Amino acid sequence: MAKKPATRRRTADTKKKPTGRGWLAILRRWLLQLLLKTVLWGGLLAILVGTGYLYYLDRSISKTFEGRRWSVPAQIYAQPVELYAGKRLTNAELQVELQRLGYRQTSDLSQPGSYQPIAGGVSIHLRAFAFMDAPRPSMRITVMFVGSRLQRLSYDNRPLDLVRLEPAVIGSFFPSHGEDRVILTPDEVPALLANGLKAVEDRSFDDHQGFSVAGILRAALVNLRSGEARQGGSTLTQQLVKSYFLTNERTIERKLRELAMSVILELRFSKEDILTAYINEIFLGQNGARAIHGFGLGSQYYFNKPLNELPAHQIASLISIIRGPSYYNPFRHPERTIRRRNRILDTFLADGLISNAAHQDAIGQSLGVVDSPNSGGAYYPAFMDLVRVELSERYSADDLRTQGLRIFTTLQPSIQANAQRAVSATLRSIENERKQEPNSLQASAVITDTQTGEVLALVGGRQGRVDGFNRAINAQRPVGSVIKPLIVLSALENGFEWSSVVDDASITLTPPNGEPWSPRNYDGKTRGELPIIKALALSLNLAMVDLGNRVGIGTVQGRFQDLVGYAPKNPYPSFFLGAEPMSPLQLTELYGNFASGGFHTPPKSVIAVLDEQGVPVSHHPFDVTQTIDFATASSLNAGLQLVMQRGTGRSSPFSNQGVAGKTGTSNDNRDSWFAGFDNSRLSVIWVGRDDNKPTDLTGTSGAMRIWNAIARAEGPDPLLPDIREDLVAIEYDTGLQATSKCADVVVLPIRQPDNLQIKSGCSLKPSFGERLRAIFKP
Amino acid sequence: MTLMSGCASTGGNVGVIDREKQGRPQQTELPQTQDPQTKEPGTGKVQVPVIAPPRSSAAQTLLARANTALRDNAPATAILLLERAVRIEPREAQLWMRLSKAHLDKGETQIALQHARKAIALAGTDRNKQTGAWLQLANVYEAQGRDSDALSIRQRYERGSG
């Protein structure tokens, strides 16, 4: 018991009085403990932070990978070309269509996507395609022609009633960051591409876990030997990571992040997934705002063919672009691209991916890219604007950009091409002839099917394949005299006849709350009293204002609203002369009522939408609503045919070929319009300047010339004469009933012929011959 | 996928496909031989006169396939086939008449009504086409509950066609 305090005291003494060595030991121990604790806690913290960071990386990589893998822009298709006996189509035109779709001329037809001209026709190996109503397998057909008609179709030596070419892909709705792609599944990736990519870009792809030290060393050695950057050290996985997540900055931090992400990607996904993602992701070129991503779209963009139809040299060309889409741009630097392509073909040979013979053949090939960007496949930005507007009411922008929808539209590429050519060539001619500043004129055009309202072509400006202001949809210009048929329609519906007399005389109108208005005729002259048909044919302003006043502006504007679905902006009588701004598309909607025989057929561009699996999502049926009594619409169209035959349209070479139409010119010749139709197509054309300066053009000398050029390329489809009992011959100058023997007559429907006055000196009794024919009439 | 169209109504002018009936199209295009029965399969309500077939064998084939689809209670398929036929022969009244029937079968009476009117407008002086188109309009009126309008058409045209 007595020793205990002594011990305590000794200890206390030791603390109180340490030796020098003891102090050092304590300090050392304390420092060691501190270090140990710091390392321990620091390590723990590092592990926690590192784990958190890796978790974050893992989450973001997985999310992005999955998201990007299935984020597919909607694909937009044109109308397929239907082939059937009797169709108006020449052998040459069919071959142009095939070339447009990227079919190649061969001698054996062993592969889909090929054709072979034969005597009197062409044999085709069609590609398989899932149409909106039925899938069609790949098949060989023969098409025979006689003159300008398709004579017969056969499949496997059996007659075939009809078949479709697959529709052209005309674009896609890619996201705002501009990335466009056509997604391929692993099955759709050619073996040569997959193996070739590994051979050229990443030899140890099948073995490494995201990065390859050996690969980096090998690349360094190769580059050192060759004196140029022939091989990259990054694996395909690293390239994919870089494309997905990282920038081009060259820092250690970025490289480490790339390595970590690559390892995570390898741990999370299969090699097949990663390779397919790479093939769908990699950047292959820039086309304006559109970034070409993936080999599926790259193949279409550069070669206008699906990837599975590319020969070895074109696959090698695409692989060559990866290294530098700008440096190895095949359009701009073909020689440079061919050199790299050939080196890649050498690698293919060395790795046994292609035979000696195939290598020899491939080395000798030209690049084989399409003529220029945008000529591969098809690209119609103006029409796509219309599709976008139509779909935006029912689909979100995100759906259109990511859900892989397949959108079938009404566009007919051959008509579009003809219309675009007509616009560009005619404007050039007009500028040359009139010594106007080159490229000062602009134009737009809309062409629809008269019965269904489907938009077959839409030209937004003189440069078709350029995104820009879409004049067909967005330009609001005074329509001038093309509005006049609306006045006549209102008149015919309110007791007037074609023979009714109107007064072409000077007039001053002062509407309530409006300025006095004194319209004039285009030539400044007045013609006095004359029938409505002549006033319309000669497009006489004063006579039309007289008629409009007698019918009433409320009545005319009410009909305008019935026919286009909105009220006019201009409430004043100047509306009668077309002081009403409209877009070519709106005017098409108005004239659709006439061309269809009295039905409101709003221009439509979408037929159906299918989801990525090909299941129909929505169908946009024909939209027709009767707005005009058929007899009245038919009567109006008879008058519009006379406008072409005798009036402002008479200088057209097609004026006597069963076409109806009306010209229009706004004040000071700022806007030149033509709206015309035949049996199957309605066209509305506008010509003017973007700065709204005068053009020196009338509807006849501007817009109608473009229509003439389109009609020349397409060939008119004459309106069939209506068989009706109320046709009466009236004198063109007076509207009096007459015969061709005693007057210059036109034949038009008259509902109340008994009210007509007979021209003095005209005998309306039938001739002996006519009576004889009447007797023997069946 | 959350497509906005998925909740679109069947009204207006955008039809949402009936997936139960439609699904993914199964029938392939080959070989396309003409169905001899292009005549109105009959609704039990009206006796439509025999109408001359469309001019082209292509439109005839599509019409025959559409008639088969209508018999199989697949109006959505019939509509796609008939619209394809209309693109080949836009002024053939019979095609619009059948389109009207297909939309009626699908419950789209407003579209059926306008398509029947279109058929009447295009029938011209062909008496059988006129009769067929008017009787189709009568069918639509009946579906809309406009029985007296339907009856007056029937009294006029069934007597005429009989």
Coordinates of all heavy atoms in Angstrom, one line a residue, chain A residues 271-347:
Chain A
K271 N -18.7 -5.3 -75.6 CA -17.8 -4.8 -76.7 C -18.7 -4.5 -77.9 O -18.5 -3.5 -78.6 CB -16.8 -5.9 -77.1 CG -15.7 -6.1 -76.1 CD -14.7 -4.9 -76.2 CE -13.5 -5.1 -75.2 NZ -12.6 -3.9 -75.2
E272 N -19.7 -5.4 -78.1 CA -20.6 -5.1 -79.3 C -21.4 -3.8 -79.1 O -21.5 -3.0 -80.1 CB -21.6 -6.3 -79.4 CG -22.4 -6.2 -80.7 CD -23.4 -7.3 -80.8 OE1 -24.3 -7.4 -79.9 OE2 -23.3 -8.1 -81.8
D273 N -21.8 -3.6 -77.9 CA -22.6 -2.3 -77.6 C -21.7 -1.1 -77.9 O -22.1 -0.1 -78.5 CB -23.0 -2.3 -76.1 CG -24.3 -3.1 -75.9 OD1 -24.9 -3.4 -76.9 OD2 -24.6 -3.3 -74.7
I274 N -20.4 -1.2 -77.4 CA -19.5 -0.1 -77.5 C -19.1 0.1 -79.0 O -19.2 1.3 -79.5 CB -18.2 -0.3 -76.7 CG1 -18.6 -0.3 -75.2 CG2 -17.2 0.7 -77.0 CD1 -17.5 -0.8 -74.3
L275 N -18.9 -0.9 -79.7 CA -18.5 -0.8 -81.1 C -19.7 -0.2 -81.9 O -19.6 0.7 -82.8 CB -18.1 -2.1 -81.7 CG -17.6 -2.0 -83.2 CD1 -16.3 -1.1 -83.2 CD2 -17.2 -3.4 -83.7
T276 N -20.9 -0.7 -81.7 CA -22.1 -0.2 -82.4 C -22.3 1.3 -82.0 O -22.7 2.1 -82.9 CB -23.3 -1.0 -82.0 OG1 -23.0 -2.4 -82.2 CG2 -24.5 -0.6 -82.9
A277 N -22.2 1.6 -80.8 CA -22.3 3.0 -80.4 C -21.3 3.9 -81.1 O -21.6 5.0 -81.5 CB -22.2 3.1 -78.8
Y278 N -20.1 3.4 -81.2 CA -19.1 4.2 -81.9 C -19.5 4.4 -83.4 O -19.4 5.5 -83.9 CB -17.8 3.4 -81.8 CG -16.6 4.0 -82.5 CD1 -15.8 4.9 -81.9 CD2 -16.4 3.8 -83.9 CE1 -14.7 5.5 -82.5 CE2 -15.3 4.4 -84.6 CZ -14.5 5.2 -83.9 OH -13.5 5.9 -84.5
I279 N -19.9 3.3 -84.0 CA -20.3 3.4 -85.4 C -21.5 4.4 -85.6 O -21.6 5.0 -86.6 CB -20.7 2.0 -85.9 CG1 -19.3 1.2 -86.1 CG2 -21.5 2.0 -87.2 CD1 -19.5 -0.3 -86.3
N280 N -22.3 4.5 -84.6 CA -23.5 5.4 -84.7 C -23.1 6.8 -84.3 O -23.9 7.7 -84.6 CB -24.6 4.9 -83.9 CG -25.3 3.7 -84.5 OD1 -25.4 3.6 -85.7 ND2 -25.8 2.8 -83.7
E281 N -22.0 7.0 -83.6 CA -21.7 8.2 -82.9 C -20.7 9.1 -83.7 O -20.8 10.3 -83.7 CB -21.2 7.9 -81.5 CG -20.7 9.2 -80.8 CD -21.7 10.2 -80.5 OE1 -22.9 9.9 -80.5 OE2 -21.4 11.4 -80.4
I282 N -19.7 8.4 -84.2 CA -18.5 9.2 -84.6 C -18.9 10.3 -85.7 O -19.7 10.1 -86.6 CB -17.4 8.2 -85.2 CG1 -16.1 8.8 -85.0 CG2 -17.8 7.7 -86.6 CD1 -15.6 8.9 -83.6
F283 N -18.2 11.4 -85.5 CA -18.5 12.6 -86.4 C -17.8 12.4 -87.7 O -16.6 12.1 -87.8 CB -17.9 13.8 -85.6 CG -18.0 15.1 -86.4 CD1 -19.2 15.6 -86.9 CD2 -16.8 15.8 -86.8 CE1 -19.3 16.8 -87.6 CE2 -16.9 16.9 -87.5 CZ -18.1 17.4 -87.9
L284 N -18.5 12.6 -88.8 CA -18.0 12.3 -90.1 C -18.1 13.5 -91.1 O -17.8 13.4 -92.2 CB -18.7 11.1 -90.7 CG -18.3 9.7 -90.1 CD1 -19.2 8.6 -90.7 CD2 -16.9 9.4 -90.4
G285 N -18.5 14.6 -90.6 CA -18.6 15.8 -91.5 C -19.6 16.8 -91.0 O -20.5 16.5 -90.2
Q286 N -19.5 18.0 -91.6 CA -20.4 19.1 -91.3 C -21.1 19.6 -92.6 O -20.4 19.8 -93.5 CB -19.6 20.2 -90.6 CG -20.5 21.3 -90.0 CD -21.3 20.8 -88.7 OE1 -20.7 20.0 -88.0 NE2 -22.5 21.3 -88.5
N287 N -22.4 19.7 -92.5 CA -23.1 20.2 -93.7 C -24.0 21.4 -93.2 O -25.1 21.2 -92.8 CB -23.9 19.1 -94.3 CG -24.8 19.6 -95.4 OD1 -24.5 20.5 -96.1 ND2 -25.9 18.9 -95.6
G288 N -23.4 22.6 -93.2 CA -24.1 23.7 -92.7 C -24.3 23.5 -91.2 O -23.4 23.2 -90.5
A289 N -25.6 23.6 -90.8 CA -25.9 23.5 -89.3 C -26.0 22.0 -88.9 O -26.1 21.7 -87.8 CB -27.2 24.2 -89.0
R290 N -25.9 21.2 -89.9 CA -26.1 19.7 -89.7 C -24.8 19.0 -89.6 O -24.0 19.1 -90.5 CB -26.9 19.2 -90.9 CG -27.3 17.8 -90.9 CD -27.8 17.5 -92.3 NE -28.4 16.2 -92.4 CZ -28.4 15.5 -93.6 NH1 -27.9 16.0 -94.7 NH2 -28.9 14.3 -93.6
A291 N -24.7 18.3 -88.4 CA -23.5 17.5 -88.2 C -23.7 16.1 -88.6 O -24.7 15.5 -88.1 CB -23.0 17.6 -86.7
I292 N -22.9 15.5 -89.4 CA -23.1 14.2 -89.9 C -22.4 13.2 -88.9 O -21.2 13.2 -88.8 CB -22.5 14.0 -91.3 CG1 -23.0 15.1 -92.3 CG2 -22.8 12.6 -91.9 CD1 -24.4 15.2 -92.5
H293 N -23.3 12.5 -88.2 CA -22.7 11.5 -87.2 C -23.1 10.1 -87.6 O -24.2 9.8 -88.1 CB -23.3 11.8 -85.8 CG -22.7 12.9 -85.1 ND1 -21.8 12.8 -84.1 CD2 -22.8 14.3 -85.3 CE1 -21.3 13.9 -83.7 NE2 -22.0 14.9 -84.4
G294 N -22.1 9.2 -87.4 CA -22.3 7.8 -87.6 C -22.2 7.4 -89.1 O -22.4 8.1 -90.0
F295 N -21.9 6.1 -89.2 CA -21.6 5.5 -90.6 C -22.9 5.4 -91.4 O -22.9 5.4 -92.6 CB -20.9 4.2 -90.5 CG -19.4 4.4 -90.1 CD1 -19.0 4.6 -88.8 CD2 -18.5 4.4 -91.1 CE1 -17.7 4.8 -88.5 CE2 -17.1 4.6 -90.9 CZ -16.7 4.8 -89.5
G296 N -24.1 5.2 -90.7 CA -25.3 5.0 -91.4 C -25.6 6.3 -92.2 O -25.9 6.2 -93.4
L297 N -25.6 7.4 -91.5 CA -25.8 8.7 -92.2 C -24.7 9.0 -93.1 O -24.9 9.6 -94.2 CB -26.1 9.8 -91.2 CG -26.4 11.2 -91.8 CD1 -27.7 11.1 -92.7 CD2 -26.6 12.2 -90.8
G298 N -23.4 8.7 -92.7 CA -22.3 9.1 -93.5 C -22.4 8.4 -94.9 O -22.0 9.0 -95.9
S299 N -22.8 7.1 -94.9 CA -23.0 6.4 -96.1 C -24.0 7.1 -97.1 O -23.7 7.3 -98.2 CB -23.4 5.0 -95.8 OG -23.7 4.3 -97.0
Q300 N -25.1 7.5 -96.5 CA -26.1 8.2 -97.3 C -25.6 9.6 -97.7 O -25.8 10.0 -98.9 CB -27.4 8.5 -96.4 CG -28.2 7.2 -96.1 CD -28.9 6.6 -97.4 OE1 -28.8 7.3 -98.4 NE2 -29.4 5.5 -97.3
Y301 N -24.9 10.3 -96.9 CA -24.4 11.6 -97.2 C -23.4 11.7 -98.2 O -23.4 12.4 -99.2 CB -23.9 12.3 -95.9 CG -23.3 13.7 -96.0 CD1 -24.2 14.7 -96.4 CD2 -22.0 13.9 -95.9 CE1 -23.6 16.0 -96.5 CE2 -21.5 15.2 -96.0 CZ -22.3 16.2 -96.3 OH -21.8 17.5 -96.5
Y302 N -22.4 10.8 -98.1 CA -21.3 10.8 -99.1 C -21.5 9.9 -100.3 O -21.1 10.3 -101.4 CB -20.0 10.3 -98.4 CG -19.4 11.3 -97.4 CD1 -19.4 11.0 -96.1 CD2 -18.9 12.5 -97.8 CE1 -18.9 11.9 -95.1 CE2 -18.4 13.4 -96.9 CZ -18.4 13.1 -95.6 OH -17.9 14.0 -94.7
F303 N -22.3 8.9 -100.2 CA -22.5 7.9 -101.3 C -23.9 7.7 -101.8 O -24.1 7.0 -102.7 CB -21.8 6.6 -100.9 CG -20.4 6.7 -100.6 CD1 -20.0 6.4 -99.3 CD2 -19.4 7.0 -101.5 CE1 -18.6 6.6 -98.9 CE2 -18.1 7.1 -101.2 CZ -17.7 6.9 -99.9
N304 N -24.9 8.3 -101.0 CA -26.3 8.1 -101.4 C -26.7 6.7 -101.5 O -27.4 6.2 -102.4 CB -26.6 8.8 -102.7 CG -28.1 8.9 -102.9 OD1 -28.9 8.9 -102.0 ND2 -28.5 9.1 -104.2
K305 N -26.2 5.9 -100.5 CA -26.5 4.4 -100.5 C -26.6 4.0 -99.1 O -25.9 4.5 -98.2 CB -25.4 3.6 -101.2 CG -25.4 3.6 -102.7 CD -24.5 2.6 -103.3 CE -23.1 3.2 -103.4 NZ -22.2 2.4 -104.3
P306 N -27.3 2.9 -98.8 CA -27.3 2.4 -97.5 C -25.9 1.7 -97.2 O -25.2 1.3 -98.2 CB -28.4 1.3 -97.4 CG -28.8 1.1 -98.8 CD -28.3 2.3 -99.7
L307 N -25.5 1.7 -96.0 CA -24.2 1.2 -95.6 C -23.9 -0.2 -96.1 O -22.8 -0.5 -96.6 CB -24.0 1.3 -94.1 CG -22.6 1.0 -93.5 CD1 -21.6 2.0 -94.0 CD2 -22.7 1.0 -92.0
N308 N -24.9 -1.1 -96.1 CA -24.7 -2.5 -96.5 C -24.5 -2.7 -98.0 O -24.2 -3.8 -98.4 CB -25.9 -3.4 -96.0 CG -27.2 -3.0 -96.6 OD1 -27.2 -2.2 -97.5 ND2 -28.3 -3.5 -96.0
E309 N -24.6 -1.6 -98.7 CA -24.3 -1.7 -100.2 C -23.0 -1.1 -100.5 O -22.6 -1.1 -101.7 CB -25.4 -1.0 -101.0 CG -26.8 -1.7 -100.9 CD -27.9 -1.0 -101.7 OE1 -27.6 -0.1 -102.5 OE2 -29.1 -1.3 -101.4
L310 N -22.2 -0.7 -99.6 CA -20.9 0.0 -99.9 C -19.9 -1.1 -100.2 O -19.7 -2.0 -99.4 CB -20.4 0.8 -98.7 CG -21.2 2.1 -98.4 CD1 -20.4 2.9 -97.4 CD2 -21.6 2.9 -99.6
P311 N -19.1 -0.9 -101.3 CA -18.0 -1.8 -101.5 C -16.8 -1.4 -100.6 O -16.8 -0.4 -99.9 CB -17.7 -1.5 -103.0 CG -18.2 -0.2 -103.3 CD -19.3 0.1 -102.3
A312 N -15.8 -2.3 -100.7 CA -14.6 -2.1 -99.7 C -14.0 -0.7 -99.8 O -13.7 -0.1 -98.8 CB -13.6 -3.2 -100.1
H313 N -13.8 -0.2 -101.0 CA -13.1 1.1 -101.1 C -13.9 2.2 -100.5 O -13.4 3.2 -100.0 CB -12.7 1.4 -102.6 CG -13.9 1.8 -103.5 ND1 -14.7 0.8 -104.1 CD2 -14.3 3.0 -103.9 CE1 -15.6 1.5 -104.8 NE2 -15.4 2.8 -104.7
Q314 N -15.3 2.1 -100.5 CA -16.1 3.2 -99.9 C -16.1 3.0 -98.4 O -16.2 4.0 -97.7 CB -17.5 3.2 -100.6 CG -17.4 3.7 -102.0 CD -18.7 3.7 -102.7 OE1 -19.6 2.9 -102.4 NE2 -18.8 4.5 -103.8
I315 N -16.1 1.8 -97.9 CA -16.0 1.6 -96.5 C -14.7 2.2 -96.0 O -14.6 2.9 -95.0 CB -16.1 0.1 -96.1 CG1 -17.6 -0.3 -96.3 CG2 -15.6 -0.1 -94.7 CD1 -17.8 -1.8 -96.0
A316 N -13.6 1.9 -96.7 CA -12.3 2.5 -96.4 C -12.3 4.0 -96.4 O -11.7 4.7 -95.6 CB -11.2 1.9 -97.3
S317 N -13.0 4.6 -97.4 CA -13.1 6.0 -97.5 C -13.7 6.6 -96.2 O -13.3 7.6 -95.7 CB -13.9 6.4 -98.7 OG -13.3 6.0 -99.9
L318 N -14.8 6.0 -95.8 CA -15.5 6.5 -94.6 C -14.6 6.4 -93.3 O -14.5 7.3 -92.5 CB -16.8 5.7 -94.3 CG -18.0 6.0 -95.2 CD1 -19.2 5.1 -94.8 CD2 -18.4 7.5 -95.1
I319 N -13.9 5.2 -93.2 CA -13.0 5.1 -92.1 C -11.9 6.2 -92.2 O -11.5 6.7 -91.1 CB -12.4 3.7 -92.1 CG1 -13.5 2.6 -91.8 CG2 -11.3 3.5 -91.0 CD1 -13.0 1.2 -91.8
S320 N -11.5 6.5 -93.4 CA -10.4 7.5 -93.5 C -10.8 8.9 -93.0 O -10.0 9.6 -92.5 CB -9.9 7.6 -95.0 OG -10.9 8.2 -95.7
I321 N -12.1 9.1 -93.1 CA -12.6 10.5 -92.7 C -12.5 10.7 -91.2 O -12.4 11.8 -90.7 CB -14.1 10.7 -93.2 CG1 -14.1 10.6 -94.7 CG2 -14.7 12.0 -92.7 CD1 -15.5 10.5 -95.2
I322 N -12.6 9.6 -90.4 CA -12.7 9.7 -88.9 C -11.5 10.5 -88.4 O -11.7 11.3 -87.5 CB -12.5 8.3 -88.3 CG1 -13.8 7.4 -88.7 CG2 -12.4 8.4 -86.8 CD1 -13.6 6.0 -88.2
R323 N -10.3 10.3 -89.0 CA -9.1 10.9 -88.5 C -9.2 12.5 -88.5 O -8.7 13.2 -87.7 CB -7.9 10.4 -89.2 CG -6.6 10.9 -88.7 CD -6.4 10.4 -87.2 NE -6.5 9.0 -87.0 CZ -5.5 8.1 -87.2 NH1 -4.3 8.5 -87.6 NH2 -5.7 6.9 -86.9
G324 N -10.0 13.0 -89.5 CA -10.1 14.4 -89.6 C -11.2 14.8 -90.6 O -10.9 14.9 -91.8
P325 N -12.4 14.9 -90.2 CA -13.5 15.1 -91.2 C -13.3 16.3 -92.0 O -13.8 16.4 -93.2 CB -14.7 15.2 -90.3 CG -14.4 14.5 -89.0 CD -12.9 14.7 -88.8
S326 N -12.6 17.3 -91.6 CA -12.3 18.5 -92.4 C -11.1 18.2 -93.3 O -11.1 18.5 -94.5 CB -12.1 19.7 -91.4 OG -11.9 20.8 -92.2
Y327 N -10.1 17.7 -92.7 CA -8.8 17.5 -93.4 C -9.0 16.4 -94.5 O -8.5 16.6 -95.6 CB -7.7 17.0 -92.4 CG -6.4 16.9 -93.0 CD1 -5.6 18.1 -93.2 CD2 -5.8 15.7 -93.4 CE1 -4.3 18.1 -93.7 CE2 -4.5 15.7 -93.9 CZ -3.8 16.8 -94.0 OH -2.5 16.8 -94.6
Y328 N -9.8 15.4 -94.2 CA -10.1 14.3 -95.2 C -11.5 14.5 -95.7 O -12.2 13.5 -95.9 CB -9.9 13.0 -94.5 CG -8.4 12.7 -94.2 CD1 -8.0 12.6 -92.8 CD2 -7.5 12.5 -95.2 CE1 -6.7 12.3 -92.5 CE2 -6.2 12.2 -94.8 CZ -5.8 12.2 -93.5 OH -4.5 11.9 -93.2
N329 N -11.9 15.7 -96.0 CA -13.2 15.9 -96.6 C -13.2 15.5 -98.0 O -12.5 16.1 -98.9 CB -13.6 17.4 -96.5 CG -15.0 17.7 -97.0 OD1 -15.4 17.0 -97.9 ND2 -15.6 18.7 -96.5
P330 N -13.9 14.4 -98.4 CA -13.8 13.9 -99.8 C -14.2 14.9 -100.9 O -13.8 14.8 -102.0 CB -14.7 12.7 -99.8 CG -15.1 12.4 -98.4 CD -14.9 13.7 -97.6
F331 N -15.1 15.8 -100.5 CA -15.6 16.8 -101.5 C -14.5 17.8 -101.7 O -14.3 18.2 -102.9 CB -16.8 17.5 -101.0 CG -18.0 16.6 -100.8 CD1 -18.7 16.5 -99.5 CD2 -18.5 15.8 -101.8 CE1 -19.7 15.7 -99.4 CE2 -19.6 15.0 -101.6 CZ -20.2 14.9 -100.4
R332 N -13.8 18.2 -100.7 CA -12.8 19.3 -100.8 C -11.4 18.8 -101.1 O -10.6 19.4 -101.8 CB -12.8 20.1 -99.5 CG -13.9 21.0 -99.4 CD -13.7 22.0 -98.3 NE -14.9 22.6 -97.8 CZ -15.2 23.0 -96.6 NH1 -14.2 22.9 -95.7 NH2 -16.3 23.5 -96.2
H333 N -11.1 17.6 -100.5 CA -9.7 17.1 -100.7 C -9.7 15.7 -101.2 O -9.3 14.7 -100.4 CB -9.0 17.2 -99.3 CG -9.1 18.5 -98.7 ND1 -8.5 19.7 -99.2 CD2 -9.7 18.9 -97.5 CE1 -8.8 20.7 -98.4 NE2 -9.5 20.3 -97.4
P334 N -10.2 15.4 -102.4 CA -10.3 14.0 -102.8 C -9.0 13.3 -102.9 O -8.9 12.1 -102.6 CB -11.0 14.2 -104.2 CG -10.8 15.6 -104.6 CD -10.7 16.4 -103.4
E335 N -8.0 14.0 -103.4 CA -6.7 13.3 -103.6 C -6.1 12.8 -102.2 O -5.6 11.7 -102.1 CB -5.6 14.2 -104.2 CG -6.0 14.6 -105.7 CD -6.2 13.3 -106.5 OE1 -5.4 12.4 -106.3 OE2 -7.1 13.3 -107.4
R336 N -6.2 13.7 -101.2 CA -5.7 13.4 -99.9 C -6.5 12.3 -99.3 O -5.9 11.4 -98.7 CB -5.9 14.7 -99.1 CG -5.3 14.6 -97.7 CD -5.7 15.9 -96.9 NE -5.1 17.1 -97.4 CZ -5.4 18.3 -97.0 NH1 -6.5 18.5 -96.2 NH2 -4.8 19.4 -97.4
T337 N -7.8 12.3 -99.5 CA -8.7 11.2 -99.0 C -8.3 9.9 -99.6 O -8.3 8.9 -99.0 CB -10.1 11.6 -99.2 OG1 -10.4 12.9 -98.7 CG2 -11.0 10.7 -98.4
I338 N -8.1 10.0 -101.0 CA -7.8 8.7 -101.7 C -6.5 8.1 -101.1 O -6.4 6.9 -100.9 CB -7.7 9.0 -103.2 CG1 -9.1 9.0 -103.8 CG2 -6.9 7.9 -103.9 CD1 -9.2 9.2 -105.3
R339 N -5.5 9.0 -100.9 CA -4.2 8.5 -100.3 C -4.4 7.7 -99.0 O -3.9 6.6 -98.8 CB -3.2 9.6 -100.2 CG -2.6 10.0 -101.5 CD -1.3 10.8 -101.3 NE -1.5 12.1 -100.5 CZ -1.9 13.2 -101.1 NH1 -2.1 13.3 -102.4 NH2 -2.1 14.3 -100.3
R340 N -5.2 8.4 -98.2 CA -5.4 7.7 -96.8 C -6.3 6.5 -97.0 O -6.1 5.4 -96.4 CB -6.1 8.7 -95.9 CG -6.5 8.0 -94.6 CD -6.5 9.0 -93.4 NE -7.0 8.3 -92.2 CZ -6.3 7.4 -91.5 NH1 -5.1 7.2 -91.7 NH2 -6.9 6.8 -90.4
R341 N -7.3 6.6 -97.9 CA -8.1 5.4 -98.2 C -7.3 4.2 -98.6 O -7.5 3.1 -98.2 CB -9.2 5.7 -99.3 CG -10.1 4.6 -99.6 CD -10.7 4.7 -101.0 NE -9.7 4.5 -102.0 CZ -10.0 4.5 -103.3 NH1 -11.2 4.8 -103.7 NH2 -9.0 4.3 -104.3
N342 N -6.3 4.5 -99.5 CA -5.5 3.4 -100.0 C -4.6 2.8 -98.9 O -4.4 1.6 -98.9 CB -4.7 3.9 -101.2 CG -5.5 4.1 -102.4 OD1 -6.7 3.7 -102.4 ND2 -5.0 4.7 -103.5
R343 N -4.2 3.6 -98.0 CA -3.4 3.1 -96.9 C -4.3 2.2 -96.0 O -3.8 1.1 -95.6 CB -2.8 4.2 -96.0 CG -1.6 4.9 -96.7 CD -0.8 5.7 -95.7 NE -1.5 6.7 -95.0 CZ -1.7 8.0 -95.4 NH1 -1.2 8.3 -96.5 NH2 -2.4 8.8 -94.7
I344 N -5.5 2.6 -95.9 CA -6.4 1.7 -95.1 C -6.7 0.4 -95.9 O -6.8 -0.6 -95.2 CB -7.7 2.5 -94.8 CG1 -7.4 3.6 -93.8 CG2 -8.8 1.6 -94.3 CD1 -8.5 4.6 -93.5
L345 N -6.9 0.5 -97.2 CA -7.1 -0.7 -98.0 C -5.8 -1.6 -97.8 O -6.0 -2.9 -97.8 CB -7.3 -0.4 -99.4 CG -8.7 0.2 -99.7 CD1 -8.7 0.8 -101.2 CD2 -9.8 -0.8 -99.6
D346 N -4.6 -1.1 -97.7 CA -3.4 -1.9 -97.5 C -3.6 -2.6 -96.2 O -3.2 -3.8 -96.1 CB -2.2 -1.0 -97.5 CG -1.9 -0.4 -98.9 OD1 -2.5 -0.8 -99.8 OD2 -1.1 0.6 -98.9
T347 N -4.1 -1.9 -95.2 CA -4.2 -2.5 -93.9 C -5.3 -3.6 -93.9 O -5.1 -4.7 -93.4 CB -4.7 -1.5 -92.8 OG1 -3.8 -0.4 -92.9 CG2 -4.8 -2.0 -91.4

